[in-house]
Amino acid sequence: MTVTQVPQVGHTGGLAQRYARALYDLASEQGALPDVLGEVKALRTAISESDDLRKFLADARMDIRQGQTVSNVLMSKLGFGDVLRRFVGVIAENRRLPDLASILDGVLALDSALRGEVVAEVRSAQPLNDTQRSQLQTRLAEAGYSRVSMTEHTDVALLGGMTVRIGSTLFDTSIAGRLTRLQNAMKGAA
């Protein structure tokens, strides 16, 4: 396993955080925060588990009307409440659907931070099962991260293993990471 300090730079970092704060504040003002947080988690899970949904959200050719129509149908089909439905409508209207996953992650991170938890972004080649999640929580507690909230992403490019980012610290146990380190070591030996 390799642990490195890497800067967190995202092309939508500030934008996603502003939208996330807006949704969090709106849900809090309307007294719907627990419901909205549950819906945000469910929508984030749906996005991470569906290749078709990710492709749809990332499609830059989609016009505003298409985005709004499909997002309304999706929100209704998944049974989400009015607050999240209207929020996703605004996201579609502002042509920010490609940033929706980052915005949802931002909402969950904001909630965790306000509750005193640290957010761990977990990328794995395969979706984690309950046993693996529990073992990871245990390992993170041993590393000094006792109050951890995890966001999970599937990334087949890792080939196997996982990466865990907590703040600027990256724990890399992926096969792709090992191959990269081996390749760099071989360059140094030549």
Side-chain angles (χ1 to χ4, degrees):
M1 175 176 66
T2 300
V3 178
T4 55
Q5 295 288 326
V6 293
Q8 280 190 288
V9 178
H11 72 287
T12 61
L15 174 81
Q17 289 173 353
R18 287 191 300 273
Y19 275 104
R21 175 55 109 176
L23 176 58
Y24 193 90
D25 290 346
L26 175 66
S28 183
E29 288 171 8
Q30 294 190 358
L33 189 59
D35 294 336
V36 170
L37 288 173
E39 292 172 355
V40 165
K41 288 176 187 174
L43 181 55
R44 185 62 188 99
T45 300
I47 292 171
S48 67
E49 292 177 351
S50 172
D51 288 334
D52 291 336
L53 183 54
R54 282 194 306 275
K55 288 176 186 173
F56 164 75
L57 292 173
D59 188 358
R61 298 170 297 160
M62 179 180 18
D63 67 13
I64 293 172
R65 185 167 286 135
Q66 263 183 316
Q68 288 178 318
T69 302
V70 174
S71 64
N72 283 337
V73 169
L74 177 67
M75 296 292 104
S76 295
K77 183 178 178 184
L78 294 174
F80 293 144
D82 190 49
V83 173
L84 188 60
R85 187 178 311 178
R86 286 184 297 136
F87 180 78
V88 172
V90 170
I91 297 294
E93 184 178 323
N94 292 341
R95 300 183 59 85
R96 299 292 184 199
L97 283 176
D99 303 321
L100 183 58
S102 297
I103 293 167
L104 297 174
D105 287 342
V107 171
L108 298 174
L110 177 60
D111 182 58
S112 293
L114 292 174
R115 286 185 290 119
E117 293 180 347
V118 177
V119 176
E121 180 183 342
V122 179
R123 293 195 179 279
S124 58
Q126 301 281 329
L128 298 178
N129 60 36
D130 291 337
T131 304
Q132 291 169 323
R133 254 183 231 101
S134 176
Q135 290 173 345
L136 180 57
Q137 286 278 18
T138 302
R139 297 279 189 228
L140 290 172
E142 290 171 0
Y145 301 104
S146 58
R147 297 194 66 191
V148 176
S149 168
M150 294 191 299
T151 60
E152 298 176 24
H153 307 280
T154 302
D155 185 355
V156 295
L158 294 176
L159 303 175
M162 71 177 65
T163 63
V164 179
R165 180 188 305 268
I166 300 176
S168 64
T169 304
L170 177 68
F171 300 92
D172 187 354
T173 64
S174 68
I175 293 174
R178 290 176 188 176
L179 290 172
T180 300
R181 290 187 296 278
L182 180 62
Q183 181 182 21
N184 290 338
M186 291 176 69
K187 282 181 185 178

